[in-house]
Amino acid sequence: MSNSSSVIDGDLAQPNNREAAEKSRTAASCRFCGAPLSVTFVDLGMSPLCESFLSANQINKMEPFYPLRVFVCSNCFLVQLEEYVRPEDIFSEYAYFSSYSDSWLDHARKYTDQMAHRFVLGTNSLVIELASNDGYLLQYFVDKKIPALGIEPAANVAKVALEKGVPTLVQFFGTDLARMLGASGRRPDLLLGNNVLAQVPNLNDFVEGMKILLKASGVITMEFPHLLRLMDENQFDTVYHEHFSYFSFITAERIFAAHGLMLFDVEELPTHGGSLRIYACHSDDRTKHVSAAVGELRQREQDSGLGRLERYAAFGENVKETKRKLLEFLIRARNEGKKVVGYGAPGKGNTLLNYCGIRTDLLDFTVDRNPYKHDKFLPGTHIPIFPPEQIRAARPDFIFILPWNLKDEIMKQLSFVREWGGKFVVPIPEVKIYT
Ligand SMILES: [Zn+2]
């Protein structure tokens, strides 16, 4: 490797540091089993942190980019990103407010109904949510008078939860906090986490923390995007720096088992392009029965090759093909004089736009319902973000839906674009136009 591609100061002055850096780069190890990581799952190049929206006075400054190279562990098949950025730098001030999506709120409300019924939760129970965000979910338990506690590291979103009357601790979760809560007698009957397991750099400490905290007869539910769906449907844009791990059922089961937890049920959900909701209990809890869904999904994943390294190594080629097709569409639209604007400013949109090199030359602007993002710019691509009303004013020919997992909801909200013949474009699993 030549010096020209590395950081000049540190490298030229301190060759030992360079060697050390090179060694640590090649010696990355699996965050679950510790085996060295050498097989690439997909390499999406360099990208900024996907939630680091820029204000007008920041767009002329330097912007940090980090690698988005995803590995698969050849020992346990955990698909993972190295920890390039500390969670403290990502999650302390977070721009994602769960309550800005109607369908996600609806999902949360239904979940609380189901769990309260299935596990007979009442005024003497305790529900703890890890990464409880703005209280989007726990508010429904609070409404039912079921005691709830949120744990959320981002102070700005936790503040919103507290204002809603949802008790919330502003902290990262792990074995330390679990011991502290356990010692104060706050052991949950239901311990849940939606889309947090993927975002934990120290996975073993997090899962061990759940083991320590959970009541003897308690239940853990975790939701996370399903790796099988990511691979089958080419959802490469769900890769970003905030997502350290990507789970199949079989890998999740192995990780939980290593910490004395057993998966006794699983549901497949449509959220985030296809997620799993796993149900776990203590391995020695004889009150739970393992559902048929567990064996069925385990077998389906084995049959589709998730126990073989070659299956993972083939993924990168599909991703390159998708990029070429998307650029072909956008370039053709531009050449024909069409106006294309975006809808949404989700994390996945930033991975997609940066990887494909789509800037204002191909996408005039995007819009978002979250006022926190208005008059800011997307990281890396510097595409401006406006309120949704801007679409009516601009009368675009195409609306490029970045949060494609919410496409039905968005197309309904924006049905007025048909007044002028506007159409929708969805990029994943492949470019598709909806009239
Ligand atoms: Zn591993």
Side-chain angles (χ1 to χ4, degrees):
M1 193 182 196
S2 77
N3 283 335
S4 61
S5 63
S6 18
V7 182
I8 288 174
D9 267 345
D11 278 343
L12 292 184
Q14 298 168 347
N16 287 342
N17 277 6
R18 189 185 63 211
E19 277 168 31
E22 187 66 14
K23 187 158 176 273
S24 79
R25 201 177 74 82
T26 51
S29 55
C30 174
R31 68 167 42 86
F32 168 57
C33 77
L37 296 175
S38 58
V39 180
T40 300
F41 175 66
V42 64
D43 188 348
L44 299 171
M46 299 289 287
S47 211
L49 294 185
C50 74
E51 296 287 339
S52 53
F53 298 94
L54 305 171
S55 55
N57 62 8
Q58 289 174 307
I59 57 171
N60 293 331
K61 297 191 176 139
M62 281 201 354
E63 202 178 348
F65 278 56
Y66 304 90
L68 266 185
R69 181 177 173 197
V70 188
F71 291 93
V72 56
C73 175
S74 48
N75 181 47
C76 72
F77 303 114
L78 178 62
V79 170
Q80 57 197 293
L81 206 56
E82 276 184 74
E83 183 186 350
Y84 298 108
V85 193
R86 294 181 320 145
E88 289 80 358
D89 296 332
I90 300 175
F91 297 115
S92 299
E93 162 95 12
Y94 203 41
Y96 185 73
F97 289 80
S98 300
S99 296
Y100 285 106
S101 163
D102 294 339
S103 60
W104 189 237
L105 280 178
D106 192 44
H107 176 74
R109 193 181 45 73
K110 284 188 188 136
Y111 168 86
T112 56
D113 289 345
Q114 283 171 24
M115 295 307 118
H117 178 73
R118 179 169 175 181
F119 300 113
V120 202
L121 302 173
T123 51
N124 293 324
S125 310
L126 176 62
V127 177
I128 294 185
E129 181 177 15
L130 308 177
S132 50
N133 200 270
D134 59 6
Y136 74 101
L137 187 146
L138 290 181
Q139 63 182 341
Y140 299 114
F141 281 118
V142 170
D143 286 349
K144 293 180 201 298
K145 311 272 186 280
I146 297 171
L149 174 66
I151 297 170
E152 168 54 54
N156 64 324
V157 289
K159 186 167 164 280
V160 177
L162 286 164
E163 285 163 7
K164 282 182 196 158
V166 176
T168 304
L169 289 177
V170 182
Q171 272 186 288
F172 282 97
F173 181 76
T175 50
D176 289 347
L177 182 58
R179 284 195 187 92
M180 207 189 81
L181 287 168
S184 70
R186 289 198 274 182
R187 294 192 178 277
D189 298 272
L190 176 63
L191 175 59
L192 74 121
N194 288 339
N195 301 306
V196 59
L197 202 59
Q199 304 192 344
V200 176
N202 193 343
L203 187 58
N204 285 320
D205 186 67
F206 188 88
V207 179
E208 185 62 25
M210 292 197 288
K211 169 74 184 172
I212 291 169
L213 184 58
L214 187 69
K215 195 183 252 189
S217 60
V219 172
I220 296 169
T221 74
M222 293 264 126
E223 291 179 25
F224 48 80
H226 190 188
L227 180 66
L228 184 64
R229 296 284 296 272
L230 185 158
M231 291 169 75
D232 281 349
E233 293 164 38
N234 196 27
Q235 301 166 353
F236 67 89
D237 59 343
T238 58
V239 170
Y240 38 89
H241 297 105
E242 287 83 340
H243 283 178
F244 298 118
S245 309
Y246 303 80
F247 300 95
S248 62
F249 181 75
I250 44 182
T251 300
E253 193 172 40
R254 190 175 294 150
I255 294 166
F256 276 67
H259 293 278
L261 295 165
M262 177 180 73
L263 304 192
F264 67 91
D265 198 6
V266 60
E267 286 172 64
E268 292 175 77
L269 308 170
T271 48
H272 294 283
S275 295
L276 292 183
R277 177 187 292 154
I278 55 169
Y279 292 76
C281 61
H282 289 288
S283 300
D284 56 3
D285 179 352
R286 298 283 167 250
T287 64
K288 310 287 187 300
H289 302 283
V290 179
S291 78
V294 166
E296 190 276 323
L297 182 55
R298 197 190 288 135
Q299 189 60 46
R300 186 144 46 88
E301 288 194 349
Q302 290 291 1
D303 292 346
S304 86
L306 292 192
R308 289 194 321 255
L309 204 53
E310 312 85 72
R311 168 83 154 95
Y312 296 87
F315 181 69
E317 215 34 62
N318 300 339
V319 173
K320 290 179 201 161
E321 172 74 12
T322 306
K323 172 177 177 169
R324 291 192 291 267
K325 284 189 178 153
L326 181 56
L327 286 173
E328 268 170 18
F329 165 79
L330 288 170
I331 291 167
R332 192 172 62 241
R334 276 303 211 229
N335 284 341
E336 289 169 2
K338 304 279 199 248
K339 182 180 273 190
V340 188
V341 308
Y343 186 95
K348 58 169 71 70
N350 287 325
T351 292
L352 182 92
L353 297 171
N354 275 294
Y355 171 63
C356 295
I358 297 166
R359 298 183 179 77
T360 50
D361 49 350
L362 296 173
L363 202 64
D364 292 349
F365 61 82
T366 191
V367 301
D368 200 275
R369 287 172 82 187
N370 181 350
Y372 183 94
K373 297 177 183 175
H374 294 166
D375 298 319
K376 291 196 170 143
F377 297 82
L378 297 183
T381 59
H382 296 191
I383 293 169
I385 311 165
F386 299 127
E389 298 75 55
Q390 192 70 22
I391 287 185
R392 198 180 274 283
R395 299 170 69 90
D397 300 287
F398 291 103
I399 292 124
F400 185 3
I401 300 180
L402 293 166
W404 42 259
N405 51 311
L406 304 175
K407 69 176 179 347
D408 296 333
E409 173 184 346
I410 291 164
M411 287 194 285
K412 204 187 286 176
Q413 277 169 21
L414 298 184
S415 56
F416 61 84
V417 306
R418 298 195 177 91
E419 288 167 23
W420 62 83
K423 299 183 176 79
F424 299 97
V425 184
V426 175
I428 302 287
E430 55 184 6
V431 182
K432 193 166 173 194
I433 295 166
Y434 292 82
T435 53

